[in-house]
């Protein structure tokens, strides 16, 4: 572990030094001067952030945390001992009998459903309020802007774009990738892996085998985690008070209001994580289905 961390630090330092060396070249300096990072926006693009976006942002962080947490626990889990079967007598009734799944998988599906529903609401509001103009590329100039911005970030010379008005090229492409590529991809691959769907979609086995789908689902989740970590790091490193005010206080200044709201959301998230104990998960699952306990096999 220590060797891996040391190698990562050495690699990071080498990348930064290489980027700073590139920034010293006249041609690169001219490129950055021509494309400082701003992503060109249409004249009718909105400025600032609405209240619904702040709420969606906070809920997305909470639901994504539980989705990744339950997904990773499922990925690392051994042979399950508790199973859940949906009762076929409620509002949702199917001709075929319900599929029995592990309780950990049920927990993952609940977190997934909350995250996906929140994402659907986000997409509808994004596309009907004009906020999509901030993250959907509308000009090919966004490509050199993103390259310039990436070079500035890696060389530790932060770009000076104003996030209240517009995102820089790299931000816009990153947010577009998360909202319109990674989000739908992880959702569709998750449906493909669901036991009920997998049994009924065997015609897809040749086109998208379950093994390949599972790998794609996992690595998309890894991408979302890496993006989130980098996003939080850059928010805090490139003017924390102002950046936090944008989405947590809906204001463009350096007051501590956004920071206090952000810390409040962290406290609420911690309390929710502490409240969601295995006992609560089992009681919640028992309200919607039948639980079956199987003793774990003794190790030989």
């Amino acid at each position: 572990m220590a060797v891996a961390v040391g190698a990562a630090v050495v690699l990071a330092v080498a990348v930064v030094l290489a980027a700073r060396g590139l920034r010293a070249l006249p041609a690169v300096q001219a490129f950055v001067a021509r494309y400082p990072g701003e992503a060109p926006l249409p004249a009718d693009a909105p400025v600032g952030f609405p209240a619904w976006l702040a709420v969606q942002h906070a809920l997305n962080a909470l639901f994504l945390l539980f989705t990744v947490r339950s997904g990773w626990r499922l990925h690392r889990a051994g042979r399950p001992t508790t199973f859940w079967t949906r009762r076929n007598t409620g509002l949702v009734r199917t001709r075929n009998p319900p599929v029995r799944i592990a309780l950990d998988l049920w927990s993952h599906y609940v977190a997934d459903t909350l995250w996906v529903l929140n994402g659907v609401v986000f997409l509808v509001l994004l596309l009907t309020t004009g906020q999509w103009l901030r993250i959907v590329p509308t000009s090919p100039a966004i490509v050199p802007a993103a390259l310039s911005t990436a070079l500035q970030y890696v060389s530790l010379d932060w770009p000076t774009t104003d996030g209240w008005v517009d995102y820089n090229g790299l931000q816009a492409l990153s947010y577009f990738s998360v909202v319109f590529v990674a989000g739908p991809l992880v959702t569709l691959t998750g449906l493909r892996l669901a036991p009920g769907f997998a049994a009924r979609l065997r015609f897809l086995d040749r086109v998208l085998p379950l093994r390949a789908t599972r790998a794609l689902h996992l690595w998309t989740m890894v991408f979302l985690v890496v993006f989130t970590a980098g996003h939080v790091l850059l928010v805090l490193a490139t003017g924390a008070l102002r950046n936090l005010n944008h989405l947590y206080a809906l204001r463009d200044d350096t007051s501590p209001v956004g920071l206090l709201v952000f810390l409040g959301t962290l406290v609420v998230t911690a309390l929710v994580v502490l409240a969601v104990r295995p006992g609560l998960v089992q009681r919640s699952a028992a309200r919607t289905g039948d639980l079956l306990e199987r003793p774990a096999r003794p190790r030989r």
Side-chain angles (χ1 to χ4, degrees):
M1 182 65 179
V3 174
V5 172
V9 171
V10 171
L11 178 61
V13 172
V15 170
V16 171
L17 292 177
R20 296 183 72 87
L22 285 175
R23 292 288 303 273
L25 299 176
V28 176
Q29 292 177 357
F31 174 78
V32 173
R34 182 178 180 182
Y35 301 102
E38 290 89 350
L41 293 177
D44 57 343
V47 175
F49 301 95
W52 65 262
L53 189 58
V55 175
Q56 294 291 141
H57 186 265
L59 289 176
N60 178 73
L62 177 64
F63 296 150
L64 182 62
L65 171 64
F66 279 97
T67 297
V68 173
R69 180 191 183 199
S70 60
W72 185 248
R73 179 179 298 171
L74 187 65
H75 177 71
R76 301 284 294 178
R79 184 179 178 86
T81 58
T82 306
F83 297 86
W84 174 88
T85 306
R86 176 178 57 83
R87 299 190 187 99
N88 208 17
T89 57
L91 295 177
V92 179
R93 299 184 183 183
T94 57
R95 179 177 300 177
N96 296 319
V99 177
R100 185 175 63 191
I101 61 175
L103 183 61
D104 285 341
L105 184 58
W106 176 88
S107 177
H108 185 56
Y109 284 159
V110 170
D112 283 349
T113 301
L114 292 173
W115 183 68
V116 170
L117 289 177
N118 184 70
V120 170
V121 173
F122 172 79
L123 281 175
V124 171
L125 292 173
L126 189 76
L127 296 175
T128 57
T129 62
Q131 286 290 329
W132 65 271
L133 292 169
R134 293 172 61 97
I135 64 173
V136 176
T138 57
S139 169
I142 195 173
V143 176
L147 293 174
S148 174
T149 308
L151 182 60
Q152 293 175 62
Y153 277 129
V154 174
S155 64
L156 303 184
D157 184 10
W158 311 124
T160 57
T161 49
D162 184 0
W164 183 256
V165 177
D166 60 356
Y167 295 127
N168 63 53
L170 188 60
Q171 283 178 308
L173 289 182
S174 298
Y175 298 155
F176 174 82
S177 299
V178 169
V179 174
F180 294 103
V181 179
L185 184 60
V186 78
T187 301
L188 293 175
T189 53
L191 287 174
R192 173 75 176 100
L193 293 172
F197 285 99
R200 294 173 175 82
L201 299 176
R202 295 191 182 279
F203 63 92
L204 292 176
D205 287 349
R206 293 184 179 181
V207 180
L208 192 60
L210 288 177
R211 184 174 181 179
T213 305
R214 190 174 292 108
L216 186 58
H217 187 73
L218 174 63
W219 284 107
T220 306
M221 181 195 73
V222 171
F223 167 76
L224 290 173
V225 172
V226 172
F227 166 82
T228 302
H231 174 64
V232 173
L233 175 63
L234 290 176
V235 165
L236 299 179
T238 59
L241 290 178
R242 190 178 184 189
N243 289 334
L244 291 174
N245 273 334
H246 287 174
L247 266 181
Y248 287 94
L250 306 178
R251 52 198 291 171
D252 186 29
D253 57 34
T254 56
S255 68
V257 178
L259 174 61
L260 295 176
V261 176
F262 171 67
L263 293 176
T265 61
L266 291 183
V267 171
V268 172
T269 300
L271 292 176
V272 173
V273 170
L274 292 175
V276 182
R277 298 284 186 175
L280 177 61
V281 172
Q282 288 198 2
R283 290 193 298 271
S284 300
R287 291 179 179 273
T288 58
D290 298 317
L291 297 183
L292 174 64
E293 298 279 350
R294 284 187 176 179
R297 289 184 176 181
R299 295 182 178 179
R300 294 182 179 179

